[in-house]
Amino acid sequence: MRRLVIRALSVFAAMMFVTATFAFANGQQQSSSSQSKSSGPVKIAIRLKNLGTPFFDAVNVGAKEAAKQLGNVDIISQGPSPPTAEGQISIIQSLIAQKVGAIAISANDQNALVPIAKKAMAAGIKVISFDSAIAPAGRILNIADSSSPLIGQTQIELMGKLINNQGEIAILSASSTATNQNTWIKYMKQELQKPQYSGMKLVSVVYGNDLADQSYRQAMGLFKKYPNLKGIISPTTVGIAATAKALEDAGLAGKIQLTGLGLPSQMAKYIEDGTCKAMELWNPIDLGYTAAYVSWGLATGKFTGKPGETMHVGRMGDITIQSDGTAVMGKPFVFDKSNIAKYSKLF
Ligand code: RAM
């Protein structure tokens, strides 16, 4: 935790600088560049699930921090508006034509992106996924936010504590094809099989597509359909914030418990007023920094990306690629009333 604090504080200055310097446009592309040396900058494309999500804005901050530190690196951050695989495919198509050095993708669909990712790799582009994985055939490696089984376990544990391990619960997820949420949900379901959770019943999994209005409507739908609902787990920063708002608007805050994966800056209000007593996440700035740094390492030949390799990733230190091609960043961290004020200033 101490390391997270130090890291978070060290990126804060960079974050303030970057947000002041690079206005995040509403359009499809944001670009920052360091001064080009004779060989020209290494172009690194960061493919977000979608634009307009504060979580991915923070990812961009980290990516730009890495680019600035490395020098001679151009970051091209893009994502479709709604989080769809089709939107990501057409963006990757144009990146192949632009001959970027590397593409780091948070995938909206682990299989649908494989053919285009293969095409990019055949053209010499280093493709990795981060946050939400592409199937192994479509990438060199995957950078995972945290251990997926651990996220599944701790999400259920948090909800269990809030409702005394008793009652109906629902999950409000992102898109139905999101690799990361689907994996976490799989582990949540496994965790629920444990005897201590026999009194907890998962009655529904709904999808708000990582869009605030759709997530809000899904939450309202759950309240209506399940009058005995005791809790909602929303493992998406968009979904949990929309659910918190829906709970307050419906007068159900405190009656239905809420947890999930939330961005502290978006959730501070709801944690302070008790609508969401506890939630988890990791540092999205570190995630973006790592994705950009590793992309650069692969594009320049500094890293091979092979299982077993230990990559020295700047201020993140050493990260080792596991035998399944995944590099795990850290443990999810719990935010509650005791610490939310501090973290909401950082991301
Ligand atoms: C949303 C996105 C992202 C996920 C977080 C927790 O911002 O779905 O992929 O990692 O939530």
Side-chain angles (χ1 to χ4, degrees):
M1 185 53 222
R2 212 177 120 72
R3 280 181 60 198
L4 177 72
V5 178
I6 293 168
R7 260 187 235 145
L9 291 175
S10 71
V11 297
F12 186 50
M15 190 168 147
M16 298 317 286
F17 167 75
V18 174
T19 38
T21 313
F22 307 104
F24 282 5
N26 293 327
Q28 290 277 300
Q29 180 163 330
Q30 304 146 1
S31 174
S32 77
S33 78
S34 55
Q35 60 292 32
S36 303
K37 292 180 188 146
S38 51
S39 57
V42 182
K43 284 188 192 163
I44 293 173
I46 307 284
R47 297 286 55 73
L48 312 171
K49 272 184 171 175
N50 64 329
L51 292 178
T53 297
F55 175 89
F56 286 114
D57 292 346
V59 165
N60 278 334
V61 170
K64 286 168 181 168
E65 182 202 347
K68 192 164 177 276
Q69 230 173 60
L70 291 164
N72 206 29
V73 171
D74 259 10
I75 297 287
I76 307 165
S77 267
Q78 294 168 314
S81 289
T84 62
E86 295 71 39
Q88 289 189 315
I89 288 168
S90 66
I91 294 172
I92 297 170
Q93 190 75 52
S94 82
L95 289 168
I96 297 174
Q98 289 176 49
K99 296 192 170 61
V100 297
I103 306 178
I105 309 173
S106 172
N108 284 321
D109 187 311
Q110 64 167 337
N111 296 318
L113 292 172
V114 168
I116 191 75
K118 276 185 166 172
K119 199 174 160 193
M121 289 194 286
I125 298 171
K126 306 294 180 188
V127 178
I128 67 168
S129 52
F130 72 99
D131 178 53
S132 187
I134 302 185
R139 42 87 170 161
I140 297 168
L141 61 91
N142 175 54
I143 299 168
D145 309 309
S146 182
S147 141
S148 294
L150 191 64
I151 295 171
Q153 279 163 27
T154 51
Q155 289 279 281
I156 295 297
E157 197 185 326
L158 274 180
M159 178 48 75
K161 277 190 193 145
L162 293 173
I163 62 170
N164 214 7
N165 290 358
Q166 288 298 320
E168 294 182 356
I169 61 165
I171 294 174
L172 194 155
S173 190
S175 75
S176 62
T177 56
T179 327
N180 50 350
Q181 273 90 9
N182 284 349
T183 310
W184 301 330
I185 292 169
K186 179 182 91 183
Y187 286 112
M188 285 187 221
K189 287 180 176 169
Q190 271 183 27
E191 188 68 10
L192 281 171
Q193 301 305 313
K194 291 192 177 161
Q196 68 263 41
Y197 300 122
S198 60
M200 271 161 74
K201 187 171 173 229
L202 177 64
V203 292
S204 184
V205 180
V206 294
Y207 302 91
N209 277 323
D210 264 354
L211 296 171
D213 54 347
Q214 280 187 31
S215 305
Y216 181 90
R217 282 199 297 276
Q218 291 288 4
M220 287 293 189
L222 286 173
F223 307 156
K224 210 166 155 194
K225 196 160 172 203
Y226 300 99
N228 296 321
L229 199 63
K230 289 285 175 294
I232 296 178
I233 301 176
S234 186
T236 135
T237 59
V238 181
I240 192 173
T243 306
K245 181 166 178 2
L247 282 170
E248 294 199 347
D249 290 354
L252 290 168
K255 294 191 183 106
I256 296 177
Q257 297 299 325
L258 172 65
T259 191
L261 301 173
L263 193 69
S265 54
Q266 278 185 291
M267 290 297 289
K269 165 180 181 296
Y270 302 114
I271 291 202
E272 303 281 5
D273 72 14
T275 299
C276 171
K277 294 198 176 74
M279 62 171 200
E280 298 180 294
L281 198 70
W282 36 86
N283 185 331
I285 301 173
D286 287 353
L287 182 64
Y289 178 94
T290 306
Y293 203 109
V294 169
S295 299
W296 167 84
L298 292 169
T300 56
K302 190 174 163 58
F303 304 147
T304 66
K306 295 214 170 77
E309 179 181 20
T310 296
M311 304 174 290
H312 186 75
V313 183
R315 68 169 171 80
M316 299 299 298
D318 289 344
I319 300 181
T320 301
I321 307 168
Q322 297 175 354
S323 55
D324 65 353
T326 301
V328 177
M329 292 201 44
K331 288 187 177 165
F333 180 72
V334 177
F335 301 96
D336 57 22
K337 252 187 199 168
S338 71
N339 58 23
I340 193 69
K342 181 167 73 186
Y343 290 102
S344 63
K345 294 191 193 93
L346 302 178
F347 50 83

